[in-house]
Amino acid sequence: MANTNTTAIMKKTILLLIITFEVISYASCQKTSKNPKLNISFNRNVEVLSIIYCLTEDGQMMLKSSPDFTFQNELIEEFIDYSNHPSVVTALNLNRNGNTFWWDALVTLAHHCDQFPKGKLNNKLPDFTLQRANSDLEKADSVIKNFINQINDFYNVAKLDDYFIAYSPMYDQIENEIEKNLPKEDFIKELEEFYKKTNKSYTLCPSPI
């Protein structure tokens, strides 16, 4: 099992909170932090799309160029046989078609879907996210629905249930470490003041990928 860098994960987690500020308020949670408005829970959908991202040609080129992505490169080796799966091909094409449907858009999609491998949209994607898949919203909707079906299939053929079982202790450790090292309590208030928006609660989604 790969070692993880807690500091790096903390930085990515805070970024993930910022990226998903618009959508995470309704996400299910597993661990309640000391901050009453903040829950800590890794999101399986985000992890699935992160693995797909790693397997794309662009993802592999970026990750293999840096020694900071040891765990991600180990995952690439573990799932390399699925690098030509339709979901991986679609993810790459979505990024390369000029609309840059990439990391933040993938995270948004993850939070708008039921859990894979039974994923389907449970909340309408924002138009500005859909337009990154295709400028024609009707065509974009069709592309995204097809992409979700491909992701469901990827989950099954790559046997990601086995992955989550094998790495469950690692994810538990990450959640516990983040709980111990959360930023100052008023960082949520600072985010709300910056975005001029408040929600009843938020979910912090740590990820080693």
Side-chain angles (χ1 to χ4, degrees):
M1 184 174 293
N3 292 321
T4 55
N5 185 313
T6 303
T7 301
I9 294 172
M10 278 292 295
K11 292 179 179 178
K12 180 178 179 182
T13 300
I14 299 305
L15 174 62
L16 189 55
L17 174 66
I18 295 172
I19 289 174
T20 59
F21 193 83
E22 297 286 337
V23 299
I24 57 180
S25 59
Y26 59 79
S28 60
C29 59
Q30 295 176 343
K31 181 186 288 291
T32 302
S33 74
K34 291 175 288 188
N35 188 317
K37 293 191 70 173
L38 181 65
N39 304 298
I40 302 171
S41 174
F42 82 90
N43 184 293
R44 285 198 176 200
N45 283 1
V46 171
E47 301 305 284
V48 172
L49 282 166
S50 295
I51 292 172
I52 290 173
Y53 162 83
C54 289
L55 291 174
T56 64
E57 182 179 343
D58 290 352
Q60 290 189 48
M61 289 177 59
M62 188 272 289
L63 294 169
K64 290 182 178 180
S65 66
S66 172
D68 296 330
F69 299 111
T70 301
F71 181 70
Q72 290 89 337
N73 283 309
E74 289 178 1
L75 285 181
I76 290 173
E77 292 183 12
E78 183 174 347
F79 293 104
I80 194 64
D81 289 346
Y82 307 103
S83 58
N84 291 319
H85 187 273
S87 63
V88 179
V89 174
T90 297
L92 181 63
N93 289 338
L94 283 171
N95 182 51
R96 287 185 172 180
N97 70 357
N99 294 318
T100 61
F101 194 96
W102 207 221
W103 171 244
D104 58 325
L106 293 174
V107 171
T108 300
L109 175 62
H111 283 284
H112 281 75
C113 283
D114 293 333
Q115 188 165 295
F116 303 125
K118 297 182 179 179
K120 61 180 180 180
L121 287 175
N122 56 30
N123 201 18
K124 186 179 183 298
L125 281 173
D127 285 350
F128 66 84
T129 301
L130 274 175
Q131 287 172 339
R132 293 170 64 181
N134 193 297
S135 57
D136 184 312
L137 288 178
E138 186 173 338
K139 291 181 180 178
D141 184 67
S142 177
V143 168
I144 293 302
K145 288 179 178 177
N146 183 58
F147 184 33
I148 292 170
N149 289 334
Q150 293 172 343
I151 297 167
N152 287 330
D153 183 70
F154 175 85
Y155 188 105
N156 288 323
V157 298
K159 299 180 179 178
L160 291 188
D161 272 339
D162 293 344
Y163 164 82
F164 287 116
I165 291 171
Y167 286 92
S168 178
M170 180 190 70
Y171 281 102
D172 289 342
Q173 180 184 2
I174 291 170
E175 288 183 349
N176 290 332
E177 288 297 318
I178 289 176
E179 169 67 17
K180 295 176 184 177
N181 295 281
L182 281 173
K184 57 185 180 179
E185 291 187 4
D186 60 352
F187 85 102
I188 290 290
K189 181 179 179 182
E190 292 175 358
L191 281 175
E192 291 177 335
E193 290 176 349
F194 178 82
Y195 283 96
K196 309 298 182 186
K197 181 175 181 177
T198 61
N199 288 303
K200 291 181 180 180
S201 64
Y202 302 92
T203 298
L204 197 63
C205 298
S207 174
I209 307 177

